[in-house]
Amino acid sequence: MFRYKKLGYVALNVSDLARSVPFYRDIVGLQLNEQTDDGTAFFACSADHHNVVLYEGGEPGLKRVGWEMEQPEELDRLYEHLQAAGLKPAFVSPDECRALRQQRTLRIREPFSGLTFEFYEGQLERGSTYTPTVTNIARLGHVVLNLERWPEAVKFFKETLNFRTSDYVDGFIAFMRCFPNPYHHSLGIGNAAATRKEPGLNHVNFMVTDIDDIGRALTRVKRHDVPIVFGPGRHPPSGSIFLYFLDPDGMTLEYSYGMEEFPEERPRKARVLEARPDSLDYWGNVPDPRFASTGRFEPATED
């Protein structure tokens, strides 16, 4: 099977770049590395050219999810595997790869969300890496999706896309890691029916380097009247301290500190946690109704 390096980036559709660009730069703390003539904004929290891309237009939500492979040859293994699975993988043109500052890249239409899932060898790295400002972001952590046909979707990511399950909240969410990345989850699959949420983006996570980053963020978002929709608290599945808040379009973002890591060989068995509120927060918080309520999937286009 093929091997991943990490969740590389998420691409979001926003309603107003003039409003969202300063928010993601000055409130979230991402580094704006490039903004093209049409306004598309490339942000990073690492040496990569981008870990978040903002596009203007359409309904706010998730446009694309990009995964970086461990080595270039993994992309060829993946292509053959996806072809055999009937998923019609297509390589991105050299011109578009150059525009995205990426090496070889292929895409599929993920069957349960309709989203574009992208897989690539790597990105161009900048001469100077990410410099933290208001928050010491360590990495883009994970993305969580609300999907229909939940059992089938979880099976697809395990058996077809080589994700490993770290934990479940029974019938509600599967926390999955892109093998062999060690972090507890780089992808979450939420059960849209069980959570009474529309299919779409649940949230995007950024892992920070210190618990004080959570505390300073709490103060900062309150000062700027940014809605807090869950937390601060601590997740039982991963052990992470968390804070969830909304971007200008109402999409949910998360800071988290601390996360269980898994060895490549002989990892512990996935746990099944009882479906109850304290399986999501040791401290007793309950999410605001606005949590994970905005973020349509942009369907992949058929070539």
Side-chain angles (χ1 to χ4, degrees), residues 227-270:
I228 296 169
V229 290
F230 194 18
R234 185 168 185 175
H235 286 313
S238 64
S240 302
I241 306 294
F242 66 82
L243 178 70
Y244 293 86
F245 55 97
L246 301 182
D247 85 343
D249 284 303
M251 290 186 283
T252 303
L253 306 178
E254 179 193 19
Y255 289 138
S256 68
Y257 167 69
M259 178 175 273
E260 181 181 5
E261 297 183 33
F262 285 69
E264 181 173 339
E265 297 182 2
R266 299 186 62 81
R268 69 160 175 81
K269 184 171 65 174

Side-chain angles (χ1 to χ4, degrees), residues 2-300:
F2 46 88
R3 295 165 61 93
Y4 295 92
K5 181 178 180 181
K6 64 183 182 183
L7 170 64
Y9 78 95
V10 294
L12 301 172
N13 291 321
V14 300
S15 64
D16 185 352
L17 280 167
R19 181 177 60 170
S20 291
V21 166
F23 179 87
Y24 279 82
R25 182 190 62 212
D26 303 333
I27 303 300
V28 179
L30 301 175
Q31 181 169 292
L32 179 61
N33 281 344
E34 183 179 3
Q35 193 161 13
T36 61
D37 291 342
D38 67 359
T40 301
F42 294 83
F43 293 90
C45 52
S46 69
D48 296 338
H49 176 262
H50 56 274
N51 303 114
V52 172
V53 187
L54 301 185
Y55 293 84
E56 186 169 300
E59 191 170 359
L62 187 58
K63 181 180 182 70
R64 189 166 67 244
V65 180
W67 303 91
E68 183 176 347
M69 308 310 292
E70 189 178 66
Q71 298 291 341
E73 56 268 24
E74 302 298 339
L75 196 66
D76 298 308
R77 293 192 184 99
L78 175 63
Y79 179 80
E80 293 175 2
H81 177 79
L82 295 175
Q83 270 198 318
L87 289 168
K88 301 179 181 178
F91 279 97
V92 175
S93 72
D95 286 345
E96 188 175 357
C97 285
R98 281 191 291 273
L100 289 172
R101 308 295 189 259
Q102 290 178 191
Q103 297 164 321
R104 281 195 315 155
T105 299
L106 65 84
R107 291 175 179 161
I108 62 168
R109 180 184 182 275
E110 193 281 309
F112 294 91
S113 62
L115 268 173
T116 297
F117 267 52
E118 187 172 271
F119 309 88
Y120 58 91
E121 290 182 2
Q123 293 180 10
L124 298 185
E125 295 189 9
R126 295 170 58 82
S128 58
T129 189
Y130 163 69
T131 302
T133 54
V134 295
T135 299
N136 294 303
I137 300 175
R139 63 189 62 83
L140 173 65
H142 56 263
V143 61
V144 176
L145 313 178
N146 294 327
L147 298 182
E148 297 179 310
R149 297 162 57 202
W150 183 73
E152 296 172 68
V154 172
K155 181 179 179 181
F156 169 80
F157 278 95
K158 288 170 61 176
E159 297 182 1
T160 304
L161 291 187
N162 199 26
F163 282 70
R164 308 295 167 89
T165 306
S166 301
D167 286 311
Y168 300 91
V169 174
D170 189 24
F172 276 80
I173 188 168
F175 299 97
M176 311 186 82
R177 58 194 189 275
C178 56
F179 183 79
N181 185 286
Y183 292 105
H184 181 275
H185 57 284
S186 47
L187 177 70
I189 303 298
N191 185 341
T195 58
R196 299 181 181 177
K197 299 286 187 183
E198 291 293 322
L201 174 66
N202 186 291
H203 70 270
V204 176
N205 165 273
F206 303 96
M207 296 172 68
V208 300
T209 59
D210 193 277
I211 195 170
D212 290 338
D213 288 307
I214 301 291
R216 283 191 287 266
L218 180 64
T219 301
R220 183 172 67 257
V221 299
K222 285 182 175 180
R223 184 182 302 130
H224 289 87
D225 296 321
V226 174
I228 296 169
V229 290
F230 194 18
R234 185 168 185 175
H235 286 313
S238 64
S240 302
I241 306 294
F242 66 82
L243 178 70
Y244 293 86
F245 55 97
L246 301 182
D247 85 343
D249 284 303
M251 290 186 283
T252 303
L253 306 178
E254 179 193 19
Y255 289 138
S256 68
Y257 167 69
M259 178 175 273
E260 181 181 5
E261 297 183 33
F262 285 69
E264 181 173 339
E265 297 182 2
R266 299 186 62 81
R268 69 160 175 81
K269 184 171 65 174
R271 301 169 297 189
V272 181
L273 284 72
E274 190 175 351
R276 44 187 290 166
D278 57 6
S279 290
L280 290 177
D281 184 19
Y282 281 123
W283 299 355
N285 286 282
V286 176
D288 182 288
R290 295 170 292 178
F291 174 86
S293 63
T294 299
R296 293 285 188 183
F297 294 138
E298 179 181 307

